């Protein structure tokens, strides 16, 4: 039985956190380069918490079988949705750089800001057949949720 | 277990101004500052080219790339640079996506990198 939700505290033990992320994402069905992309992106989000987000937070992963989501929450809430750069930052702004990288590597990146907490949400579609068609919502009918066959 | 990155010297037949080192483990936010100090100390005053064998390196994040860029800046002031060899697929992905792969000379493996450095003009 695959866990559908797990969460871990963000500490300076990023190596163990990356192992946890890789294991959950692999069990959810993410493989190859897209698995690498998610691990790189989630690691950048965790760095953001350590460097700019007060140094403490949580990383939660969940899946409904169609989408794998990583939510990285800090405990200061200074990161705003406007912080995601549309183009590659050219200066030394590391925060902008990490956020830009997440956008390049994941299918979607959103930021939710409430008083005292900012949450970066990274999403990956588990059925890459949706890519290029505007995502699961595109086209007629309901997107398949489970049991779809993926080439390995 | 906190991520560890270990720097080791690599014996190689190269000109005196070239330093050859290998990085093992994972280079990330938690150890990047220490690696910067170690690499800067190893480069010292006498080298203007650094060849890094990254084949034993499993992971590198944006903080790690910044460290490598700062060493490159130091060597560029001496008209040198940094060569990276043996990137695994995950490392190649982050270097390409960031566009920073163009900041370095990249060779498929250590042997080819050594050959390329030896065949450069002025490498006697």
């Amino acid at each position: 039985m695959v866990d559908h939700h797990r969460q871990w505290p963000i500490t300076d033990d990023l190596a163990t956190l990356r192992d946890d992320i890789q294991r959950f994402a692999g069990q959810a069905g993410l493989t190859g380069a897209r698995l690498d992309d998610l691990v790189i992106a989630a690691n950048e989000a965790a760095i953001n918490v350590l460097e700019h987000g007060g140094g403490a937070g949580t990383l939660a992963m969940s899946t409904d079988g169609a989408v794998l989501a990583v939510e990285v929450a800090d405990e200061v809430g200074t990161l705003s949705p406007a912080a995601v750069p549309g183009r590659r930052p050219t200066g030394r702004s590391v925060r902008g750089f990490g956020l830009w990288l997440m956008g390049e590597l994941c299918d979607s990146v959103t930021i939710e800001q409430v008083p005292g907490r900012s949450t970066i949400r990274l999403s990956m579609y588990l059925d890459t057949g949706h890519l290029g068609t505007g995502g699961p919502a595109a086209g007629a009918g309901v997107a398949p949720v489970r049991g779809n066959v993926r080439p390995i | 277990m906190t991520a560890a990155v270990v720097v080791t010297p690599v014996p190689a037949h190269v000109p005196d101004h070239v330093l050859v080192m290998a990085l093992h483990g994972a280079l990330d936010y938690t150890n990047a500052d220490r690696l910067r100090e170690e690499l800067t100390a190893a480069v010292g005053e006498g080298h203007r080219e650094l060849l890094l064998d990254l084949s034993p390196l499993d992971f590198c994040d944006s903080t790690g790339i910044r460290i490598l860029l700062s060493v490159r800046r130091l060597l560029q002031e001496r008209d040198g640079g940094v060569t990276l060899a043996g990137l695994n697929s995950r490392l190649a992905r982050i270097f390409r996506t960031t566009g920073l792969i163009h900041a370095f000379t990249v060779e498929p493996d250590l042997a080819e990198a050594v050959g390329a450095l030896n065949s450069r003009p002025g490498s006697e």
Side-chain angles (χ1 to χ4, degrees):
Chain A
M1 182 65 193
V2 177
D3 286 327
H4 295 294
H5 181 92
R6 287 288 306 275
Q7 73 173 45
W8 302 272
I10 295 169
T11 68
D12 62 3
D13 189 357
L14 290 174
T16 301
L17 188 63
R18 285 194 296 271
D19 287 344
D20 290 332
I21 295 163
Q22 174 133 2
R23 192 175 306 114
F24 187 100
Q27 286 172 354
L30 211 58
T31 58
R34 285 171 60 76
L35 176 56
D36 283 347
D37 288 355
L38 183 73
V39 173
I40 295 169
N43 180 80
E44 294 296 323
I47 294 174
N48 233 309
V49 170
L50 293 176
E51 197 162 30
H52 306 285
T58 54
L59 185 148
M61 296 184 73
S62 60
T63 179
D64 61 3
V67 174
L68 176 64
V70 181
E71 293 191 324
V72 177
D74 67 26
E75 296 175 3
V76 293
T78 55
L79 183 65
S80 81
V84 180
R87 318 177 65 177
R88 177 162 61 210
T90 51
R92 304 268 174 83
S93 163
V94 180
R95 183 171 207 172
F97 197 79
L99 286 166
W100 173 82
L101 192 53
M102 291 174 224
E104 290 295 302
L105 295 171
C106 296
D107 293 335
S108 87
V109 179
T110 56
I111 295 175
E112 182 193 69
Q113 186 179 29
V114 298
R117 186 177 70 241
S118 293
T119 304
I120 301 175
R121 181 184 164 94
L122 311 172
S123 301
M124 295 295 257
Y125 298 122
L126 293 171
D127 178 5
T128 53
H130 292 305
L131 288 179
T133 61
V142 178
V145 173
R146 295 198 66 84
N148 44 355
V149 178
R150 277 186 306 275
I152 303 293
Chain B
M1 182 67 195
T2 301
V5 64
V6 178
V7 193
T8 57
V10 176
H13 187 71
V14 290
D16 288 344
H17 66 267
V18 181
L19 177 68
V20 187
M21 309 286 276
L23 299 188
H24 307 250
L27 170 54
D28 70 16
Y29 174 76
T30 64
N31 56 33
D33 280 339
R34 181 175 58 76
L35 183 80
R36 188 208 314 257
E37 290 170 15
E38 288 188 29
L39 279 182
T40 305
V43 165
E45 303 290 325
H47 300 96
R48 58 183 165 88
E49 291 283 347
L50 174 64
L51 166 54
L52 284 176
D53 180 10
L54 299 188
S55 59
L57 189 68
D58 295 325
F59 186 83
C60 176
D61 65 15
S62 66
T63 336
I65 292 181
R66 267 192 299 146
I67 294 324
L68 298 180
L69 286 173
S70 78
V71 177
R72 168 187 180 254
R73 202 173 307 126
L74 173 73
L75 295 177
Q76 274 187 322
E77 291 168 5
R78 305 173 188 176
D79 294 323
V82 176
T83 300
L84 307 177
L87 280 72
N88 70 22
S89 61
R90 187 184 279 182
L91 260 62
R93 176 72 173 151
I94 190 168
F95 274 88
R96 286 208 189 92
T97 305
T98 56
L100 295 174
I101 200 156
H102 302 296
F104 303 95
T105 305
V106 178
E107 299 287 351
D109 58 40
L110 186 64
E112 290 210 31
V114 168
L117 281 165
N118 278 316
S119 62
R120 280 190 197 172
S123 64
E124 295 308 311

